Coordinates of all heavy atoms in Angstrom, one line a residue:
M23 N -80.7 7.9 97.0 CA -81.8 8.3 96.2 C -82.7 7.2 95.9 O -83.9 7.4 95.7 CB -81.3 9.0 94.9 CG -80.8 10.4 95.1 SD -82.0 11.6 95.7 CE -83.2 11.7 94.4
E24 N -82.2 6.0 95.8 CA -83.1 4.8 95.5 C -84.2 4.7 96.5 O -85.3 4.4 96.1 CB -82.2 3.5 95.4 CG -81.3 3.4 94.2 CD -82.1 3.5 92.9 OE1 -83.1 2.9 92.8 OE2 -81.6 4.2 92.0
N25 N -83.9 5.0 97.8 CA -85.0 4.9 98.8 C -86.1 5.9 98.5 O -87.2 5.7 98.7 CB -84.4 5.1 100.2 CG -83.5 4.0 100.6 OD1 -83.6 2.9 100.1 ND2 -82.6 4.2 101.5
V26 N -85.7 7.1 98.1 CA -86.7 8.2 97.7 C -87.6 7.7 96.6 O -88.8 7.8 96.7 CB -86.0 9.5 97.4 CG1 -87.0 10.5 96.8 CG2 -85.2 10.1 98.5
F27 N -87.0 7.1 95.6 CA -87.7 6.7 94.4 C -88.7 5.5 94.8 O -89.9 5.5 94.4 CB -86.8 6.2 93.3 CG -85.9 7.2 92.8 CD1 -84.5 6.9 92.6 CD2 -86.2 8.5 92.6 CE1 -83.6 7.9 92.1 CE2 -85.3 9.5 92.2 CZ -84.0 9.2 91.9
K28 N -88.2 4.6 95.6 CA -89.1 3.5 96.1 C -90.2 4.0 97.0 O -91.4 3.6 96.8 CB -88.2 2.4 96.7 CG -87.4 1.6 95.8 CD -86.6 0.6 96.5 CE -85.6 -0.1 95.5 NZ -84.8 -1.1 96.2
Y29 N -89.8 4.8 98.0 CA -90.8 5.3 99.0 C -92.0 6.0 98.3 O -93.1 5.8 98.7 CB -90.1 6.1 100.0 CG -91.1 6.6 101.1 CD1 -91.4 5.7 102.2 CD2 -91.7 7.8 101.1 CE1 -92.2 6.1 103.2 CE2 -92.5 8.2 102.1 CZ -92.8 7.4 103.1 OH -93.7 7.8 104.1
Y30 N -91.7 6.9 97.4 CA -92.7 7.7 96.7 C -93.2 7.1 95.4 O -93.9 7.7 94.6 CB -92.2 9.1 96.4 CG -92.0 9.9 97.7 CD1 -90.7 10.2 98.2 CD2 -93.1 10.3 98.5 CE1 -90.6 10.9 99.4 CE2 -93.0 11.0 99.7 CZ -91.7 11.2 100.1 OH -91.6 11.9 101.3
E31 N -92.8 5.8 95.2 CA -93.3 5.0 94.0 C -93.1 5.7 92.7 O -94.0 5.8 91.9 CB -94.8 4.7 94.3 CG -95.1 3.9 95.5 CD -96.5 3.6 95.8 OE1 -97.4 4.1 95.1 OE2 -96.8 2.7 96.7
F32 N -91.9 6.1 92.5 CA -91.5 6.6 91.1 C -91.3 5.4 90.2 O -90.9 4.4 90.6 CB -90.2 7.5 91.2 CG -90.5 8.9 91.7 CD1 -90.6 9.2 93.0 CD2 -90.6 9.9 90.7 CE1 -90.8 10.5 93.4 CE2 -90.8 11.2 91.1 CZ -90.9 11.5 92.5
S33 N -91.6 5.7 88.9 CA -91.4 4.7 87.9 C -89.9 4.4 87.8 O -89.1 5.2 88.2 CB -91.9 5.2 86.6 OG -91.1 6.2 86.1
P34 N -89.5 3.3 87.1 CA -88.1 3.1 86.7 C -87.7 4.2 85.8 O -88.5 4.8 85.1 CB -88.1 1.8 86.0 CG -89.4 1.1 86.4 CD -90.4 2.2 86.7
F35 N -86.4 4.5 85.8 CA -85.9 5.5 84.9 C -85.9 5.0 83.4 O -85.8 3.9 83.1 CB -84.4 5.9 85.2 CG -84.3 6.9 86.3 CD1 -84.2 6.5 87.6 CD2 -84.3 8.2 86.0 CE1 -84.1 7.4 88.6 CE2 -84.2 9.2 87.0 CZ -84.1 8.8 88.3
F36 N -86.2 6.0 82.5 CA -86.2 5.7 81.1 C -85.8 6.9 80.3 O -85.8 8.0 80.9 CB -87.6 5.2 80.6 CG -88.7 6.2 80.8 CD1 -89.1 7.1 79.9 CD2 -89.4 6.3 82.1 CE1 -90.1 8.0 80.1 CE2 -90.4 7.2 82.3 CZ -90.8 8.0 81.3
L37 N -85.4 6.8 79.1 CA -84.8 7.8 78.3 C -85.9 8.8 77.8 O -86.9 8.3 77.2 CB -84.0 7.3 77.1 CG -83.2 8.3 76.3 CD1 -82.1 8.9 77.2 CD2 -82.5 7.6 75.2
D38 N -85.7 10.1 78.0 CA -86.6 11.1 77.5 C -86.3 11.3 76.0 O -85.2 11.6 75.6 CB -86.4 12.4 78.2 CG -87.1 13.5 77.5 OD1 -88.4 13.4 77.3 OD2 -86.5 14.5 77.2
T39 N -87.3 11.1 75.1 CA -87.2 11.3 73.7 C -87.9 12.5 73.2 O -88.0 12.8 72.0 CB -87.6 10.1 72.9 OG1 -89.0 9.8 73.2 CG2 -86.8 8.8 73.2
S40 N -88.5 13.3 74.2 CA -89.3 14.4 73.8 C -88.5 15.7 73.7 O -89.0 16.8 73.3 CB -90.4 14.7 74.9 OG -89.9 15.1 76.1
D41 N -87.2 15.7 74.1 CA -86.3 16.8 74.2 C -86.7 17.8 75.3 O -86.1 18.9 75.5 CB -86.2 17.6 72.9 CG -85.4 16.7 71.9 OD1 -84.5 16.0 72.3 OD2 -85.7 16.9 70.7
S42 N -87.7 17.5 76.1 CA -88.1 18.3 77.2 C -87.1 18.3 78.4 O -87.0 19.2 79.2 CB -89.5 17.9 77.8 OG -90.4 18.0 76.8
F43 N -86.4 17.2 78.4 CA -85.4 17.0 79.5 C -84.0 16.7 78.9 O -83.2 15.9 79.4 CB -85.8 15.8 80.4 CG -87.1 16.0 81.1 CD1 -88.3 15.5 80.5 CD2 -87.2 16.8 82.2 CE1 -89.5 15.8 81.1 CE2 -88.4 17.0 82.8 CZ -89.6 16.5 82.2
S44 N -83.7 17.3 77.8 CA -82.4 17.3 77.1 C -81.9 15.8 76.8 O -80.7 15.6 76.8 CB -81.4 18.0 77.9 OG -81.8 19.3 78.2
G45 N -82.9 14.9 76.6 CA -82.5 13.5 76.3 C -81.9 12.8 77.5 O -81.4 11.7 77.4
H46 N -82.1 13.3 78.7 CA -81.6 12.6 79.9 C -82.7 11.6 80.3 O -83.8 11.5 79.8 CB -81.5 13.6 81.1 CG -80.4 14.6 80.9 ND1 -80.5 15.9 81.2 CD2 -79.1 14.5 80.4 CE1 -79.4 16.6 80.9 NE2 -78.6 15.7 80.3
E47 N -82.3 10.7 81.3 CA -83.2 9.7 81.8 C -84.1 10.4 82.8 O -83.7 11.3 83.5 CB -82.5 8.6 82.5 CG -81.7 7.7 81.5 CD -81.1 6.5 82.3 OE1 -80.7 6.6 83.4 OE2 -81.1 5.4 81.6
I48 N -85.4 10.0 82.9 CA -86.4 10.5 83.8 C -87.2 9.4 84.4 O -87.2 8.2 83.9 CB -87.4 11.5 83.1 CG1 -88.1 10.8 81.9 CG2 -86.6 12.7 82.6 CD1 -89.2 11.6 81.3
C49 N -87.8 9.7 85.5 CA -88.8 8.8 86.2 C -89.9 9.7 86.7 O -89.7 10.9 86.8 CB -88.1 8.0 87.3 SG -87.6 8.9 88.7
Y50 N -91.0 9.1 87.0 CA -92.2 9.9 87.4 C -93.0 9.2 88.5 O -93.0 8.0 88.6 CB -93.1 10.3 86.2 CG -93.8 9.1 85.6 CD1 -95.0 8.7 86.1 CD2 -93.2 8.3 84.6 CE1 -95.7 7.6 85.6 CE2 -93.9 7.2 84.1 CZ -95.1 6.9 84.5 OH -95.8 5.8 84.0
S51 N -93.8 10.1 89.2 CA -94.8 9.6 90.1 C -96.1 10.4 89.8 O -96.0 11.6 89.6 CB -94.3 9.9 91.6 OG -95.2 9.3 92.5
E52 N -97.2 9.6 89.9 CA -98.5 10.2 89.5 C -99.0 11.0 90.7 O -99.1 10.5 91.8 CB -99.5 9.2 89.1 CG -99.1 8.5 87.9 CD -100.2 7.4 87.5 OE1 -101.4 7.8 87.4 OE2 -99.8 6.3 87.2
L53 N -99.5 12.3 90.4 CA -100.2 13.0 91.4 C -101.7 12.8 91.2 O -102.5 12.7 92.1 CB -99.9 14.5 91.3 CG -98.4 14.9 91.5 CD1 -98.1 16.3 91.2 CD2 -97.9 14.5 92.9
N54 N -102.1 12.8 89.9 CA -103.5 12.4 89.5 C -103.3 12.0 88.0 O -102.2 11.8 87.5 CB -104.5 13.6 89.7 CG -104.1 14.9 89.0 OD1 -103.6 14.9 87.9 ND2 -104.2 16.0 89.7
D55 N -104.5 12.0 87.3 CA -104.4 11.5 85.9 C -103.6 12.4 85.0 O -103.2 11.9 83.9 CB -105.9 11.4 85.4 CG -106.6 10.3 86.0 OD1 -106.0 9.4 86.6 OD2 -107.9 10.3 85.9
T56 N -103.4 13.6 85.3 CA -102.7 14.5 84.3 C -101.5 15.2 84.9 O -100.8 15.9 84.2 CB -103.7 15.6 83.8 OG1 -104.2 16.3 84.9 CG2 -104.8 15.0 83.0
H57 N -101.3 15.1 86.2 CA -100.2 15.8 86.9 C -99.2 14.8 87.5 O -99.6 13.8 88.1 CB -100.7 16.8 88.0 CG -101.4 17.9 87.4 ND1 -102.8 17.9 87.1 CD2 -101.0 19.2 87.1 CE1 -103.2 19.0 86.6 NE2 -102.1 19.9 86.6
F58 N -97.9 15.1 87.3 CA -96.9 14.2 87.7 C -95.7 14.9 88.3 O -95.4 16.0 87.9 CB -96.4 13.4 86.5 CG -97.5 12.7 85.7 CD1 -98.2 13.4 84.7 CD2 -97.9 11.4 86.0 CE1 -99.3 12.8 84.0 CE2 -99.0 10.8 85.4 CZ -99.6 11.5 84.4
L59 N -95.0 14.2 89.2 CA -93.7 14.7 89.6 C -92.7 13.9 88.8 O -92.8 12.7 88.6 CB -93.4 14.4 91.1 CG -94.1 15.3 92.1 CD1 -93.7 14.9 93.5 CD2 -93.8 16.7 91.9
I60 N -91.6 14.6 88.3 CA -90.6 14.0 87.5 C -89.3 14.3 88.0 O -88.9 15.4 88.3 CB -90.8 14.5 86.0 CG1 -92.1 14.0 85.4 CG2 -89.6 13.9 85.1 CD1 -92.3 14.5 84.0
F61 N -88.4 13.2 88.1 CA -87.0 13.4 88.4 C -86.3 13.2 87.1 O -86.5 12.3 86.3 CB -86.5 12.4 89.4 CG -86.5 12.8 90.8 CD1 -87.4 12.2 91.7 CD2 -85.7 13.8 91.3 CE1 -87.5 12.6 93.0 CE2 -85.7 14.2 92.6 CZ -86.6 13.6 93.5
E62 N -85.4 14.2 86.8 CA -84.5 14.1 85.7 C -83.1 13.8 86.2 O -82.6 14.4 87.1 CB -84.4 15.5 85.0 CG -83.4 15.6 83.9 CD -83.1 17.0 83.5 OE1 -83.4 18.0 84.3 OE2 -82.6 17.2 82.4
K63 N -82.5 12.8 85.6 CA -81.2 12.4 86.0 C -80.2 12.9 85.1 O -80.2 12.6 83.9 CB -81.1 10.8 86.1 CG -79.7 10.3 86.5 CD -79.7 8.8 86.5 CE -78.4 8.3 87.0 NZ -78.3 6.8 87.0
N64 N -79.3 13.8 85.6 CA -78.3 14.4 84.8 C -76.9 14.1 85.4 O -76.5 14.7 86.3 CB -78.5 15.9 84.7 CG -77.5 16.7 83.8 OD1 -76.7 16.0 83.2 ND2 -77.7 18.0 83.7
N65 N -76.3 13.0 84.9 CA -75.1 12.5 85.5 C -75.4 12.0 86.9 O -76.3 11.2 87.1 CB -73.9 13.4 85.4 CG -73.5 13.7 84.0 OD1 -73.5 12.9 83.1 ND2 -73.3 15.0 83.7
D66 N -74.8 12.6 87.9 CA -75.1 12.3 89.3 C -76.1 13.2 90.0 O -76.3 13.1 91.2 CB -73.8 12.2 90.1 CG -73.0 11.0 89.7 OD1 -73.5 10.0 89.2 OD2 -71.7 11.1 89.8
A67 N -76.6 14.2 89.3 CA -77.5 15.2 89.8 C -79.0 14.8 89.4 O -79.2 14.3 88.3 CB -77.2 16.6 89.3
Y68 N -79.9 15.2 90.3 CA -81.3 14.9 90.0 C -82.1 16.3 90.1 O -81.9 17.0 91.1 CB -81.9 13.9 91.0 CG -81.3 12.6 90.9 CD1 -80.2 12.2 91.6 CD2 -81.8 11.6 90.0 CE1 -79.6 11.0 91.5 CE2 -81.2 10.4 89.9 CZ -80.1 10.0 90.7 OH -79.6 8.8 90.5
N69 N -82.9 16.6 89.1 CA -83.7 17.8 89.2 C -85.2 17.3 89.3 O -85.6 16.3 88.6 CB -83.6 18.6 87.9 CG -82.1 19.1 87.8 OD1 -81.5 19.5 88.7 ND2 -81.6 19.1 86.6
L70 N -85.9 18.0 90.1 CA -87.3 17.6 90.4 C -88.3 18.6 89.7 O -88.1 19.8 89.9 CB -87.6 17.5 91.9 CG -89.0 17.2 92.3 CD1 -89.4 15.8 91.9 CD2 -89.2 17.3 93.8
Y71 N -89.2 18.1 89.0 CA -90.2 19.0 88.3 C -91.6 18.5 88.6 O -91.9 17.4 89.0 CB -90.1 18.8 86.8 CG -88.8 19.2 86.2 CD1 -87.7 18.3 86.2 CD2 -88.6 20.4 85.6 CE1 -86.5 18.6 85.6 CE2 -87.3 20.8 85.1 CZ -86.3 19.8 85.1 OH -85.1 20.2 84.5
V72 N -92.6 19.4 88.5 CA -94.0 19.1 88.5 C -94.4 19.4 87.0 O -94.0 20.3 86.4 CB -94.8 19.9 89.5 CG1 -94.8 21.4 89.2 CG2 -96.2 19.4 89.6
S73 N -95.3 18.5 86.5 CA -95.7 18.6 85.1 C -97.1 18.2 84.9 O -97.8 17.6 85.7 CB -94.8 17.7 84.3 OG -95.0 16.3 84.7
R74 N -97.6 18.6 83.7 CA -99.0 18.3 83.3 C -98.9 17.7 81.9 O -98.3 18.3 81.0 CB -99.9 19.5 83.3 CG -101.3 19.1 82.8 CD -102.2 20.4 82.7 NE -103.3 20.1 81.9 CZ -104.5 19.8 82.4 NH1 -104.6 19.6 83.7 NH2 -105.5 19.5 81.6
Y75 N -99.5 16.5 81.7 CA -99.6 15.8 80.4 C -101.0 15.4 80.2 O -101.8 15.3 81.2 CB -98.7 14.6 80.4 CG -97.2 14.8 80.4 CD1 -96.5 14.9 81.6 CD2 -96.5 14.8 79.2 CE1 -95.1 15.1 81.5 CE2 -95.2 15.0 79.1 CZ -94.5 15.2 80.3 OH -93.1 15.4 80.3
L76 N -101.4 15.2 79.0 CA -102.7 14.7 78.7 C -102.9 13.3 79.4 O -104.0 13.0 79.9 CB -103.0 14.6 77.2 CG -103.1 15.9 76.5 CD1 -103.3 15.7 75.0 CD2 -104.2 16.7 77.0
N77 N -101.9 12.5 79.4 CA -101.9 11.2 80.1 C -100.5 10.7 80.3 O -99.6 11.2 79.6 CB -102.8 10.1 79.4 CG -102.3 9.8 78.0 OD1 -101.2 9.3 77.9 ND2 -103.1 10.0 77.0
K78 N -100.3 9.7 81.1 CA -99.0 9.3 81.5 C -98.2 8.7 80.3 O -97.0 8.6 80.3 CB -98.9 8.4 82.7 CG -99.5 7.0 82.5 CD -99.4 6.3 83.8 CE -100.1 4.9 83.7 NZ -100.1 4.3 85.1
K79 N -98.9 8.2 79.3 CA -98.2 7.6 78.1 C -97.4 8.7 77.3 O -96.5 8.4 76.6 CB -99.2 6.9 77.2 CG -99.9 5.7 77.8 CD -100.9 5.1 76.8 CE -101.5 3.9 77.5 NZ -102.5 3.3 76.6
D80 N -97.7 10.0 77.6 CA -97.0 11.1 76.9 C -95.7 11.4 77.5 O -94.9 12.1 76.9 CB -97.9 12.3 76.9 CG -99.1 12.2 75.9 OD1 -99.0 11.3 75.0 OD2 -100.1 12.9 76.1
I81 N -95.5 11.0 78.8 CA -94.3 11.3 79.5 C -93.0 10.8 78.8 O -93.0 9.6 78.5 CB -94.3 10.8 81.0 CG1 -95.5 11.5 81.7 CG2 -93.0 11.2 81.7 CD1 -95.8 10.9 83.1
G82 N -92.1 11.6 78.5 CA -90.9 11.2 77.8 C -91.0 11.1 76.3 O -90.0 10.9 75.7
V83 N -92.2 11.2 75.8 CA -92.5 11.0 74.4 C -92.9 12.4 73.8 O -92.4 12.8 72.7 CB -93.6 10.0 74.1 CG1 -93.9 9.9 72.7 CG2 -93.2 8.6 74.7
N84 N -93.8 13.1 74.4 CA -94.3 14.4 74.0 C -94.0 15.4 75.0 O -93.8 15.1 76.2 CB -95.8 14.3 73.8 CG -96.2 13.3 72.7 OD1 -95.6 13.3 71.6 ND2 -97.2 12.5 73.0
A85 N -93.9 16.7 74.6 CA -93.6 17.8 75.5 C -94.8 18.0 76.4 O -95.9 17.8 76.1 CB -93.4 19.1 74.7
P86 N -94.5 18.3 77.7 CA -95.6 18.5 78.7 C -96.3 19.8 78.4 O -95.8 20.7 77.8 CB -94.9 18.6 80.0 CG -93.5 19.0 79.7 CD -93.2 18.5 78.3
E87 N -97.6 19.8 78.8 CA -98.4 21.1 78.7 C -97.8 22.1 79.7 O -97.8 23.3 79.4 CB -99.8 20.8 79.0 CG -100.5 19.9 78.0 CD -102.0 19.6 78.4 OE1 -102.4 19.8 79.6 OE2 -102.7 19.3 77.5
I88 N -97.4 21.7 80.8 CA -96.8 22.5 81.9 C -95.6 21.8 82.4 O -95.7 20.6 82.7 CB -97.8 22.8 83.0 CG1 -99.1 23.5 82.5 CG2 -97.2 23.6 84.1 CD1 -100.2 23.6 83.5
L89 N -94.5 22.5 82.7 CA -93.3 22.0 83.3 C -92.7 23.0 84.1 O -92.4 24.1 83.7 CB -92.3 21.5 82.2 CG -91.1 20.8 82.7 CD1 -91.4 19.5 83.4 CD2 -90.1 20.5 81.6
E90 N -92.6 22.7 85.5 CA -92.0 23.7 86.4 C -90.9 23.0 87.2 O -91.2 22.0 87.8 CB -93.1 24.2 87.3 CG -92.6 25.2 88.3 CD -93.7 25.7 89.3 OE1 -94.9 25.5 89.0 OE2 -93.3 26.2 90.4
L91 N -89.8 23.6 87.2 CA -88.7 23.1 88.0 C -88.9 23.4 89.5 O -89.1 24.6 89.8 CB -87.3 23.7 87.6 CG -86.1 23.3 88.4 CD1 -85.8 21.9 88.2 CD2 -84.9 24.2 87.9
L92 N -89.0 22.4 90.3 CA -89.2 22.6 91.8 C -87.9 22.6 92.5 O -87.7 23.5 93.4 CB -90.0 21.5 92.3 CG -91.4 21.3 91.7 CD1 -92.1 20.1 92.3 CD2 -92.3 22.6 92.0
V93 N -87.0 21.7 92.2 CA -85.7 21.6 92.9 C -84.6 21.2 92.0 O -84.7 20.2 91.3 CB -85.7 20.5 94.1 CG1 -84.4 20.4 94.8 CG2 -86.8 20.8 95.1
E94 N -83.6 22.1 91.9 CA -82.4 21.8 91.1 C -81.4 21.1 92.0 O -81.2 21.5 93.1 CB -81.8 23.0 90.5 CG -80.7 22.8 89.5 CD -80.3 24.0 88.7 OE1 -80.8 25.1 89.1 OE2 -79.6 23.9 87.8
N95 N -80.7 20.0 91.5 CA -79.8 19.2 92.3 C -80.4 18.8 93.6 O -79.9 19.1 94.7 CB -78.5 20.1 92.5 CG -77.8 20.4 91.2 OD1 -77.7 19.6 90.3 ND2 -77.2 21.6 91.2
Y96 N -81.4 18.0 93.5 CA -82.1 17.4 94.7 C -81.1 16.7 95.6 O -80.3 15.9 95.1 CB -83.2 16.5 94.2 CG -84.1 16.0 95.3 CD1 -85.2 16.6 95.7 CD2 -83.7 14.8 96.0 CE1 -86.0 16.2 96.8 CE2 -84.5 14.4 97.1 CZ -85.6 15.0 97.4 OH -86.4 14.6 98.5
D97 N -81.2 17.0 96.9 CA -80.4 16.4 97.9 C -81.3 15.9 99.0 O -81.9 16.8 99.7 CB -79.3 17.3 98.4 CG -78.4 16.7 99.4 OD1 -78.7 15.7 100.0 OD2 -77.3 17.3 99.5
K98 N -81.5 14.6 99.2 CA -82.4 14.1 100.2 C -82.0 14.5 101.6 O -82.9 14.5 102.5 CB -82.6 12.6 100.1 CG -81.4 11.8 100.5 CD -81.6 10.4 100.3 CE -80.4 9.6 100.7 NZ -80.6 8.1 100.6
S99 N -80.8 15.0 101.9 CA -80.4 15.4 103.2 C -80.8 16.8 103.5 O -80.7 17.3 104.7 CB -78.9 15.2 103.4 OG -78.2 16.1 102.6
I100 N -81.3 17.6 102.6 CA -81.8 18.9 102.8 C -83.3 18.9 103.0 O -84.1 18.5 102.2 CB -81.4 19.8 101.5 CG1 -79.9 19.9 101.3 CG2 -82.0 21.2 101.7 CD1 -79.5 20.6 100.1
P101 N -83.7 19.3 104.2 CA -85.1 19.3 104.6 C -86.0 20.0 103.6 O -87.1 19.5 103.3 CB -85.2 20.0 106.0 CG -83.8 19.7 106.5 CD -82.9 19.8 105.4
A102 N -85.7 21.1 103.1 CA -86.5 21.8 102.1 C -86.8 21.0 100.8 O -87.8 21.1 100.3 CB -85.9 23.2 101.8
H103 N -85.8 20.2 100.4 CA -86.0 19.4 99.3 C -87.0 18.2 99.6 O -87.8 17.9 98.8 CB -84.6 18.8 98.8 CG -83.7 19.8 98.3 ND1 -82.5 19.5 97.6 CD2 -83.8 21.2 98.2 CE1 -81.9 20.6 97.2 NE2 -82.6 21.6 97.6
R104 N -86.8 17.6 100.7 CA -87.8 16.6 101.1 C -89.2 17.1 101.3 O -90.1 16.5 100.9 CB -87.3 15.9 102.4 CG -86.0 15.1 102.3 CD -85.8 14.2 103.5 NE -85.9 14.9 104.8 CZ -85.0 15.5 105.4 NH1 -83.7 15.6 104.9 NH2 -85.2 16.1 106.6
I105 N -89.3 18.3 101.8 CA -90.6 18.9 102.0 C -91.3 19.2 100.6 O -92.5 19.0 100.5 CB -90.5 20.2 102.8 CG1 -90.2 19.9 104.3 CG2 -91.8 21.1 102.7 CD1 -89.8 21.0 105.1
M106 N -90.5 19.5 99.6 CA -91.1 19.8 98.3 C -91.8 18.5 97.8 O -92.9 18.7 97.2 CB -90.0 20.2 97.3 CG -90.5 20.7 96.0 SD -91.5 22.2 96.1 CE -90.3 23.4 96.7
I107 N -91.2 17.4 97.9 CA -91.9 16.1 97.5 C -93.2 15.9 98.4 O -94.2 15.6 97.9 CB -91.0 14.9 97.5 CG1 -90.0 15.0 96.4 CG2 -91.8 13.6 97.4 CD1 -89.0 13.8 96.4
K108 N -93.0 16.0 99.7 CA -94.1 15.7 100.6 C -95.3 16.6 100.4 O -96.4 16.2 100.5 CB -93.6 15.8 102.0 CG -92.7 14.7 102.5 CD -92.3 14.9 103.9 CE -91.3 13.8 104.3 NZ -90.9 14.0 105.7
Q109 N -95.1 17.9 100.0 CA -96.2 18.8 99.8 C -97.0 18.4 98.6 O -98.2 18.6 98.5 CB -95.8 20.2 99.7 CG -95.3 20.7 98.3 CD -95.0 22.2 98.3 OE1 -94.6 22.7 99.3 NE2 -95.1 22.8 97.2
Y110 N -96.4 17.6 97.7 CA -97.2 17.2 96.5 C -97.7 15.8 96.7 O -98.8 15.5 96.1 CB -96.3 17.2 95.2 CG -96.1 18.6 94.7 CD1 -95.1 19.4 95.0 CD2 -97.1 19.1 93.8 CE1 -94.9 20.7 94.5 CE2 -97.0 20.4 93.2 CZ -95.9 21.1 93.6 OH -95.7 22.4 93.1
L111 N -97.0 14.9 97.4 CA -97.4 13.5 97.4 C -98.1 13.1 98.7 O -98.5 11.9 98.8 CB -96.2 12.6 97.2 CG -95.7 12.7 95.7 CD1 -94.4 11.9 95.6 CD2 -96.7 12.1 94.8
H112 N -98.2 13.9 99.7 CA -98.9 13.5 101.0 C -100.0 14.5 101.3 O -100.1 15.6 101.0 CB -97.9 13.4 102.1 CG -97.1 12.2 102.0 ND1 -96.8 11.4 103.1 CD2 -96.4 11.6 101.0 CE1 -96.1 10.4 102.7 NE2 -95.9 10.4 101.5

């Protein structure tokens, strides 16, 4: 998974204090000024979301305006999971 995070320029993981991600660690990649892809780390599983915030400083601090689960238990070996990221970031 580290290669996925580096390739798509996700931020380092940090603790969510907004309760939007159950206090798990998250990282994000910017789609534009208000939309972001977020990975939630839940033990050894990763969930991928698309979200909308007023600005990136709100991520992990305040609840998102929009939060949609794209992939539960992301697995980079599954083509449909890889395509989900590519359709947003390429």
Side-chain angles (χ1 to χ4, degrees):
M23 285 298 295
E24 289 300 319
N25 291 338
V26 171
F27 302 137
K28 287 180 185 177
Y29 183 80
Y30 291 109
E31 299 178 350
F32 278 83
S33 71
F35 276 91
F36 59 95
L37 188 63
D38 168 56
T39 59
S40 71
D41 290 328
S42 299
F43 301 94
S44 304
H46 295 137
E47 289 187 326
I48 59 172
C49 68
Y50 67 90
S51 184
E52 294 183 51
L53 301 175
N54 58 43
D55 290 342
T56 59
H57 292 85
F58 306 88
L59 284 182
I60 295 179
F61 268 111
E62 170 194 24
K63 183 179 179 183
N64 185 357
N65 298 317
D66 291 332
Y68 296 91
N69 298 319
L70 179 64
Y71 298 85
V72 64
S73 63
R74 177 184 165 95
Y75 288 87
L76 291 176
N77 63 61
K78 70 180 175 184
K79 293 179 182 180
D80 289 337
I81 300 172
V83 177
N84 298 315
E87 294 179 339
I88 298 170
L89 184 65
E90 179 183 343
L91 178 63
L92 299 175
V93 179
E94 190 170 5
N95 296 321
Y96 184 92
D97 183 338
K98 66 181 182 179
S99 68
I100 298 173
H103 290 190
R104 292 193 312 270
I105 289 170
M106 190 61 69
I107 287 182
K108 287 180 184 180
Q109 83 177 28
Y110 282 93
L111 291 175
H112 282 226

